[in-house]
Amino acid sequence: MHEYSIVTALLEQCEQHAIANQASRITKVVIKIGVLSGVEPALLATAFETFKLEGRAREAELEILHQELVLECQACQSTHTIKERSVICPSCHSYETRIIEGEELLLMQLELETDE
């Protein structure tokens, strides 16, 4: 399960941001997961709940934003947002497409608190 290593890296990144901003707590972590990222959102959420128990993120809420696939067709010059995992242009059925969005796993927002 590579979600465990992803969550470990995510929590380390959150801790570094918290330290840099002199925060005592991380209250919310918002990530965006693309449909082609290779990450299973449910497994990632479970791993987050398991590994957050130490450090500043122990009470943090995880919010997952799901990014659909955005394709740009080189053949017909169209752009499409699609829900399924397909790289075929829905307009002209060409395979000459470029993925614009949908492969990423990004930390989008981090809410921090200080003791002051």
Side-chain angles (χ1 to χ4, degrees), residues 42-58:
L43 293 176
L44 190 118
T46 300
F48 184 85
E49 291 301 316
T50 301
F51 289 109
K52 74 175 188 176
L53 299 177
E54 306 267 334
R56 291 173 177 86
R58 65 184 159 276

Side-chain angles (χ1 to χ4, degrees), residues 31-46:
I31 59 172
K32 178 165 66 168
I33 300 177
V35 69
L36 291 181
S37 67
V39 176
E40 177 57 48
L43 293 176
L44 190 118
T46 300

Side-chain angles (χ1 to χ4, degrees), residues 8-73:
T8 300
L10 174 65
L11 287 170
E12 286 175 10
Q13 184 181 19
C14 293
E15 284 286 333
Q16 289 172 359
H17 283 296
I19 290 167
N21 289 283
Q22 300 172 344
S24 55
R25 286 177 299 289
I26 300 168
T27 58
K28 187 173 185 179
V29 177
V30 181
I31 59 172
K32 178 165 66 168
I33 300 177
V35 69
L36 291 181
S37 67
V39 176
E40 177 57 48
L43 293 176
L44 190 118
T46 300
F48 184 85
E49 291 301 316
T50 301
F51 289 109
K52 74 175 188 176
L53 299 177
E54 306 267 334
R56 291 173 177 86
R58 65 184 159 276
E59 297 174 13
E61 169 195 351
L62 177 66
E63 181 179 334
I64 298 175
L65 307 174
H66 301 275
Q67 174 60 54
E68 295 175 342
L69 191 58
V70 179
L71 296 177
E72 180 180 83
C73 181

